[in-house]
């Protein structure tokens, strides 16, 4: 019987030594130390012994149990450490590997200019209106006093989608929508920024898609002097203080009188340079007093109210302000160009 104890001890110690993982070790523990395990089985052999023999045998089995328990614990610690080391090795981070570079874009120069103009007009109590780029002939032309077959339609070569639908050629279309929506009620003070389209061949100064910001004010006693004051303020804000603004007579079907607006050259302060071609003035936009017929068509009493409107090309003023000589720069997405505007945001 004592041999049997020794045999169980040897077997158990060997199984423990050979266990290659924690799970396997648990099985060994079950085989030898559980209630139905081999060590318990040895205990049950005591039944067959005499009183005198029992204590010695009991001690032997207990010693065997202690030895197996101790070996199990040691092995468990050893395997646990190995498992932890393996896990640490597998989860090791190489903090010297260079990180992923995320390219952060810059605000587009046209957006910069649009925001600047929006801010300045919002500061004066204007509302910013937006509308569809695919527009009805009705708003783009008819309500703007440009009926079908009117020669002024040739001023803006148009992308038609069908005979009544087109890509808006100017943000004036939005002004007509807003006038119509107001149902004859004044005052109206708004600007409409947005993309417009014309069938131009692209070159350094033309683009078939460009941006405008138009302004519209309708109310009692709105005059050309208000327009001039407003545009002088805008020119000062965009190009720096001290700008002068001058009006030259012009023609737009939706304004009467119509003017072309020049601003004193911000580069030479009006003395004459290569940018203003020696004249001291730079043309920046078209404007005028809203044509009484346009007011009437949109449900306003042109005897009681008047209004001014202006339309500025965003590309044009942005090119002037930053000395950009080719409009196509805005649309070719060259990061070297766009990154320049990082510092202005
Ligand atoms: N709509 C005109 C254009 O696109 C600009 C303009 C707007 C002129 C408002 C006068 C008044 O050329």
């Amino acid at each position: 019987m004592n041999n049997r104890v020794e045999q169980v001890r040897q077997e158990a110690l060997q199984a423990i030594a050979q266990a290659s993982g924690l799970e396997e070790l648990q099985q060994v523990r079950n085989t030898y130390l559980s209630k139905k395990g081999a060590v318990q089985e040895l205990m049950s052999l005591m039944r067959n012994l005499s009183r005198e023999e029992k204590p010695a045998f009991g001690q032997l089995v207990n010693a065997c149990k202690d030895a197996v328990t101790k070996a199990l614990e040691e092995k468990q610690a050893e395997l646990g450490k190995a498992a932890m080391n393996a896990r640490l090795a597998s989860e090791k981070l190489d903090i010297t590997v260079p990180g992923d570079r995320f390219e952060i874009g810059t605000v587009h120069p046209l957006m910069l200019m649009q925001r600047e103009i929006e801010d300045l007009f919002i500061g004066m109590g204007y509302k910013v209106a937006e509308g569809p780029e695919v527009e009805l002939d009705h708003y783009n032309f008819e309500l703007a006093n440009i009926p079908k077959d009117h020669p002024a339609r040739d001023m803006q070569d148009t992308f038609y989608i069908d005979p009544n639908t087109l890509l808006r050629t100017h943000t004036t279309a939005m002004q007509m929508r807003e006038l119509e929506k107001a149902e004859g009620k004044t005052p109206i003070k708004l600007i409409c920024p947005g993309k417009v389209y014309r069938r131009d061949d692209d070159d350094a100064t033309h683009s078939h898609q460009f941006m405008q910001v138009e302004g519209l004010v309708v109310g009692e006693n709105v005059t050309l002097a208000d327009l001039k004051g407003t545009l002088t303020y805008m020119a000062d804000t965009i190009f720096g203080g001290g700008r002068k603004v001058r009006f030259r007579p012009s023609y737009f079907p939706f304004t009467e009188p119509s003017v072309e607006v020049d601003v004193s050259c911000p580069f030479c302060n009006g003395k004459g340079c290569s940018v203003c071609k020696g004249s001291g003035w730079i043309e920046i936009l078209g404007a005028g007093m809203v044509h009484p017929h346009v007011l009437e068509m949109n449900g306003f009493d042109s005897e009681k109210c008047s209004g001014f409107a202006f339309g500025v090309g965003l590309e044009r003023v942005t090119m002037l302000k930053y000395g950009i000589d080719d409009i196509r720069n805005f649309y070719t997405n060259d990061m070297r160009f766009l990154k320049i505007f990082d510092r202005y945001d």
Side-chain angles (χ1 to χ4, degrees), residues 156 170 172 198 212 214 252 254-255 286-288 309-311:
Q156 301 173 354
H170 50 186
T172 308
R198 293 187 198 171
Q212 287 187 328
E214 288 206 7
F252 297 105
F254 32 88
T255 45
F310 62 86

Side-chain angles (χ1 to χ4, degrees), residues 140 144 146 155-156 169-173 175-176 196 198 210 212-216 227 250-260 285-290 308-313:
N140 197 81
I146 319 176
M155 286 167 78
Q156 301 173 354
T169 57
H170 50 186
T171 40
T172 308
Q175 303 194 356
M176 297 310 135
V196 298
R198 293 187 198 171
F210 59 102
Q212 287 187 328
V213 181
E214 288 206 7
L216 173 70
L227 173 63
S250 184
Y251 171 74
F252 297 105
F254 32 88
T255 45
E256 180 58 36
S258 300
V259 292
E260 223 126 78
L285 57 90
M289 299 305 291
V290 181
F308 68 68
F310 62 86
V312 55

Side-chain angles (χ1 to χ4, degrees), residues 94-105:
D94 182 353
I95 56 167
T96 63
V97 172
D100 290 332
R101 273 182 79 93
F102 293 106
E103 282 285 351
I104 296 175

Side-chain angles (χ1 to χ4, degrees), residues 19-85:
S20 60
L22 288 168
E23 262 176 49
E24 203 180 328
L25 193 67
Q26 186 58 33
Q27 272 168 19
V28 176
R29 186 193 304 276
N30 289 343
T31 311
Y32 292 95
L33 292 185
S34 67
K35 279 190 185 143
K36 288 183 182 154
V39 175
Q40 200 55 39
E41 225 173 82
L42 292 175
M43 287 294 193
S44 62
L45 292 178
M46 282 226 263
R47 268 181 274 136
N48 311 326
L49 296 177
S50 67
R51 249 172 173 268
E52 296 76 46
E53 287 169 324
K54 273 183 185 170
F57 185 74
Q59 273 174 12
L60 205 60
V61 175
N62 273 336
C64 167
K65 188 177 173 184
D66 288 347
V68 173
T69 306
K70 188 163 168 261
L72 268 168
E73 273 163 15
E74 280 170 10
K75 184 73 178 182
Q76 169 137 3
E78 183 190 314
L79 287 176
K81 207 167 149 193
M84 177 61 90
N85 285 340

Side-chain angles (χ1 to χ4, degrees), residues 28-296:
V28 176
R29 186 193 304 276
N30 289 343
T31 311
Y32 292 95
L33 292 185
S34 67
K35 279 190 185 143
K36 288 183 182 154
V39 175
Q40 200 55 39
E41 225 173 82
L42 292 175
M43 287 294 193
S44 62
L45 292 178
M46 282 226 263
R47 268 181 274 136
N48 311 326
L49 296 177
S50 67
R51 249 172 173 268
E52 296 76 46
E53 287 169 324
K54 273 183 185 170
F57 185 74
Q59 273 174 12
L60 205 60
V61 175
N62 273 336
C64 167
K65 188 177 173 184
D66 288 347
V68 173
T69 306
K70 188 163 168 261
L72 268 168
E73 273 163 15
E74 280 170 10
K75 184 73 178 182
Q76 169 137 3
E78 183 190 314
L79 287 176
K81 207 167 149 193
M84 177 61 90
N85 285 340
R87 195 168 144 206
L88 285 176
S90 76
E91 290 178 4
K92 192 172 162 199
L93 276 184
D94 182 353
I95 56 167
T96 63
V97 172
D100 290 332
R101 273 182 79 93
F102 293 106
E103 282 285 351
I104 296 175
T106 53
V107 178
H108 195 277
L110 292 176
M111 274 328 280
L112 275 179
M113 185 53 85
Q114 181 178 336
R115 284 184 193 168
E116 196 173 333
I117 294 178
E118 282 178 5
D119 283 353
L120 102 95
F121 280 99
I122 287 169
M124 291 193 286
Y126 285 59
K127 168 181 127 177
V128 179
E130 282 181 6
E133 287 168 32
V134 178
E135 186 54 283
L136 295 171
D137 185 281
H138 180 67
Y139 293 108
N140 197 81
F141 289 131
E142 294 283 339
L143 282 185
N145 209 17
I146 319 176
K148 288 213 165 59
D149 304 325
H150 191 288
R153 289 221 175 187
D154 293 344
M155 286 167 78
Q156 301 173 354
D157 227 343
T158 310
F159 287 110
Y160 279 95
I161 288 160
D162 63 40
N164 285 317
T165 322
L166 43 81
L167 295 182
R168 67 180 176 196
T169 57
H170 50 186
T171 40
T172 308
M174 251 320 281
Q175 303 194 356
M176 297 310 135
R177 282 179 176 272
E178 289 290 326
L179 278 178
E180 188 187 64
K181 213 162 73 185
E183 294 179 330
K185 282 195 267 315
T186 59
I188 294 173
K189 263 173 100 176
L190 52 90
I191 55 165
C192 325
K195 290 197 192 81
V196 298
Y197 302 84
R198 293 187 198 171
R199 284 178 43 185
D200 272 330
D201 287 332
D202 292 357
D203 61 26
T205 52
H206 294 87
S207 170
H208 63 282
Q209 175 211 293
F210 59 102
M211 293 192 74
Q212 287 187 328
V213 181
E214 288 206 7
L216 173 70
V217 172
V218 181
E220 280 171 35
N221 301 323
V222 177
T223 68
L224 213 53
D226 297 320
L227 173 63
K228 195 163 183 183
T230 307
L231 294 179
T232 307
Y233 181 57
M234 180 170 90
D236 276 351
T237 311
I238 296 176
F239 296 113
R243 289 310 92 213
K244 287 200 202 87
V245 161
R246 80 174 180 189
F247 286 170
R248 279 181 293 108
S250 184
Y251 171 74
F252 297 105
F254 32 88
T255 45
E256 180 58 36
S258 300
V259 292
E260 223 126 78
V261 181
D262 297 340
V263 43
S264 57
C265 178
F267 301 99
C268 60
N269 227 351
K271 287 192 201 72
C273 67
S274 62
V275 180
C276 60
K277 301 197 181 72
S279 72
W281 296 93
I282 295 176
E283 185 200 322
I284 58 162
L285 57 90
M289 299 305 291
V290 181
H291 198 297
H293 188 224
V294 171
L295 291 174
E296 297 286 343

